């Protein structure tokens, strides 16, 4: 190469350098980089609408689903999840049964979180991100999420918004200082305006960038206290697409945090126990029990000092039009409270009651994935003015049964007071045939 060619190349390189400097921002700094993540909790059916809207804007969200609810009325089905994942949306964990993790012991935490991740992974999803039910997590819950193999776990109400958290930062740090407590916004509800959502992003941009995980639930109009209008979501996504010039992008949680998918962790097995937790309802709460209802009802629950034994009993009152039922059940968890049960065994249920209307046992079972399913109801028991025993033995438990929960249900206007619950398991007895004890020969086998 002669001297003239060397000079030409030098001038060309110098021109490229000058052009790059001319096109670069002043002060040599890139625009602040802000990342917005659409994080969507619970796996309700309307979230397929939210996923579609994001896809139309070439954006992807992180959908934290409750695996025990998938396929149930009002929730996403398996086909919905697979379509969302195929479109590039992330599927994350949100426990099997959506409990308040602050009330669970260390083993129960791991059963809810690890089994949920195993369920989702078994369905074919890459599961690296988790969100705590109700948005809070103490050290025990954070440790459980980490031990179950998650790369991140999100909390709520820890980014400054127009609705509060004035002392909070405008954005999470990238990478987050505590991946097991990734800060997210408060829970978006129908009163949040488009301008408020925009301002969240502008505040993060003005403060130098960072990560803004938005906490959403349902995507629909007038469908719940934690929803966003499809129109508002569409307008916000459309506006976000224009912010790329400001260095603002939309990413899933997995894209922000990164890391390989950790191995699955087997949750600890529940410990067998004798009897029901707080069977006489004397401990506050009452501990170990939950109220449940379905249909159009307005139940009133009261602990009353009108007990068959001890001091307290639980009273249920239903008034007005009743379409559905209400009942007190053992907490339907992964084994900390709910009694263990086994397939093919039968169970004798009993409690004492007073009622102004007919009542019957409603029974649920837990399967091997930790999902709770309705099982059966008993025949009705007649109204009773004084304390009366209600006793009934179930048929054989369904295949795969691992737990049981039951309670007396009220499905008509009136009152029902219950106390002193009990449960007795009847293991299946295999009746051995004479032929099973005989030495095997072709002739004997033919005779049998």
């Amino acid at each position: 190469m002669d001297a003239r060619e060397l000079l030409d190349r030098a001038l060309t390189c110098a021109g490229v350098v000058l052009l790059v400097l001319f096109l670069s921002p002043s002060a040599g700094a890139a625009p602040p980089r802000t990342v917005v993540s659409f994080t969507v909790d619970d796996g309700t059916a309307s979230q397929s609408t939210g996923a579609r809207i994001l896809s139309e804007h070439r954006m992807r969200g992180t959908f934290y689903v409750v695996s025990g609810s998938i396929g149930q009325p009002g929730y996403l089905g398996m086909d919905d999840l697979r379509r969302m994942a195929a479109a590039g949306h992330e599927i994350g964990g949100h426990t099997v049964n959506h409990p308040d993790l602050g009330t669970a012991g260390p083993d129960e935490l791991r059963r809810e979180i690890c089994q949920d991740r195993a369920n989702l992974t078994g369905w074919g999803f890459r599961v690296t991100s988790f969100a705590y039910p109700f948005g809070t997590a103490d050290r025990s819950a954070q440790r459980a999420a980490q031990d179950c193999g998650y790369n991140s776990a999100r909390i709520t109400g820890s980014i400054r918004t127009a609705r509060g958290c004035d002392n909070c930062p405008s954005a999470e740090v990238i990478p987050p200082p505590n991946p097991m407590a990734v800060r997210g916004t408060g829970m978006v509800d129908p009163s949040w305006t488009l301008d408020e959502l925009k301002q969240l992003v502008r505040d993060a941009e003005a403060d130098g960038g960072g990560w803004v995980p938005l906490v959403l639930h349902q995507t629909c109009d007038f469908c719940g206290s934690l929803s966003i209008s499809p129109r508002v979501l569409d307008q916000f996504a459309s506006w976000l697409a224009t912010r790329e010039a400001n260095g603002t992008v939309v990413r899933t949680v997995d894209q922000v945090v990164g890391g390989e998918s950790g191995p699955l962790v087997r949750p600890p097995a529940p410990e067998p126990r004798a009897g029901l937790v707080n069977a006489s309802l004397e401990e506050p709460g009452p501990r170990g029990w939950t109220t449940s209802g379905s249909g159009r009802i307005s139940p009133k629950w009261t602990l009353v000092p009108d007990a068959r034994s001890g001091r307290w009993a639980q009273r249920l009152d239903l008034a007005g039009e009743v379409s559905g039922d209400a009942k007190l059940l053992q907490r339907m968890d992964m084994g900390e409270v709910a009694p263990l049960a086994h397939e093919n065994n039968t169970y004798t249920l009993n409690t004492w009651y007073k009622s102004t209307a007919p009542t019957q046992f409603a029974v649920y079972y837990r399967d091997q994935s930790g999902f709770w399913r309705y099982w059966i109801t008993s025949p009705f028991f007649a109204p009773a003015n004084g304390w009366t025993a209600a006793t009934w033995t179930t048929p054989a438990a369904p295949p795969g049964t691992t737990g049981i929960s039951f309670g007396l249900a009220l499905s008509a206007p009136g009152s029902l007071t219950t106390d002193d619950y009990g449960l007795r398991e009847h293991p299946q007895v295999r009746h051995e045939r004479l032929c099973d004890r005989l030495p095997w020969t072709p002739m004997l086998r033919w005779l049998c």
Side-chain angles (χ1 to χ4, degrees), residues 130-366:
F130 179 73
Y132 302 100
F134 305 105
T136 60
D138 59 16
R139 289 180 182 273
S140 294
Q142 293 179 35
R143 180 61 182 270
Q146 185 174 37
D147 289 349
C148 289
Y150 280 106
N151 296 340
S152 72
R154 196 218 63 213
I155 59 177
T156 64
S158 42
I159 286 178
R160 186 174 71 247
T161 71
R163 303 303 179 99
C165 206
D166 294 338
N167 295 324
C168 293
S170 60
E172 175 61 287
V173 177
I174 303 177
N178 181 2
M180 294 299 114
V182 172
R183 288 173 284 202
T185 67
M187 300 181 187
V188 174
D189 64 45
S191 67
W192 284 49
T193 67
L194 177 60
D195 286 340
E196 284 180 280
L197 294 170
K198 291 179 179 180
Q199 194 59 47
L200 275 173
V201 178
R202 292 194 186 102
D203 288 346
E205 291 173 345
D207 289 344
W211 185 16
V212 183
L214 290 166
V215 180
L216 307 176
H217 287 78
Q218 294 179 283
T219 305
C220 46
D221 289 309
F222 314 114
C223 66
S225 59
L226 293 176
S227 61
I228 185 171
S229 163
R231 178 180 57 83
V232 172
L233 180 60
D234 180 67
Q235 291 174 338
F236 179 57
S238 181
W239 176 83
L240 266 180
T242 69
R243 306 302 289 179
E244 285 197 40
N246 296 66
T248 297
V249 296
V250 174
R251 296 289 184 266
T252 66
V253 172
D254 184 45
Q255 287 174 325
V256 176
V257 175
E260 296 297 320
S261 180
L264 293 179
V265 177
R266 182 184 296 275
E271 294 290 335
R273 76 176 68 82
L276 302 175
V277 172
N278 194 16
S280 63
L281 311 180
E282 296 302 303
E283 299 179 49
R287 185 179 77 85
W289 297 80
T290 185
T291 58
S292 175
S294 62
R296 295 196 307 273
I297 55 172
S298 299
K300 179 182 178 183
W301 295 95
T302 314
L303 274 176
V304 293
D306 178 22
R308 175 183 173 271
S309 69
R311 181 180 179 186
W312 300 105
Q314 179 74 66
R315 175 171 171 150
L316 163 64
D317 290 281
L318 288 181
E321 181 183 355
V322 174
S323 175
D325 68 8
K327 56 263 184 188
L328 181 72
L329 300 167
Q330 294 84 42
R331 192 174 77 200
M332 292 191 281
D333 61 14
M334 295 289 286
E336 186 173 61
V337 167
L340 295 180
H342 306 88
E343 64 179 38
N344 297 325
N345 289 354
T346 62
Y347 295 85
T348 297
L349 323 174
N350 65 274
T351 188
W352 290 79
Y353 78 99
K354 294 191 292 186
S355 177
T356 63
T359 181
Q360 64 183 153
F361 283 116
V363 192
Y364 299 79
Y365 75 96
R366 187 184 62 226

Side-chain angles (χ1 to χ4, degrees), residues 41-44 63-72 75-76 81 92-99 112 116 119-120 123 133 371:
D41 291 8
D42 294 351
T44 52
F63 291 80
Y64 298 112
V65 300
V66 178
S67 60
S69 297
I70 297 304
Q72 298 301 304
Y75 289 86
L76 297 168
L81 285 185
H94 201 41
T95 71
V96 178
N97 297 301
H98 202 278
E112 280 284 356
D116 179 55
N119 292 339
L120 296 173
W123 293 338
F371 305 163

Side-chain angles (χ1 to χ4, degrees), residues 68-130:
S69 297
I70 297 304
Q72 298 301 304
Y75 289 86
L76 297 168
M78 190 63 67
D79 289 343
D80 298 315
L81 285 185
R82 289 182 173 137
R83 279 193 295 269
M84 290 161 64
H89 299 290
E90 179 186 5
I91 305 300
H94 201 41
T95 71
V96 178
N97 297 301
H98 202 278
D100 179 354
L101 298 182
T103 66
D107 285 348
E108 183 69 6
L109 289 172
R110 283 158 180 78
R111 284 191 284 267
E112 280 284 356
I113 298 173
C114 291
Q115 185 62 53
D116 179 55
R117 184 163 181 261
N119 292 339
L120 296 173
T121 301
W123 293 338
F125 302 112
R126 182 179 185 274
V127 187
T128 64
S129 309
F130 179 73

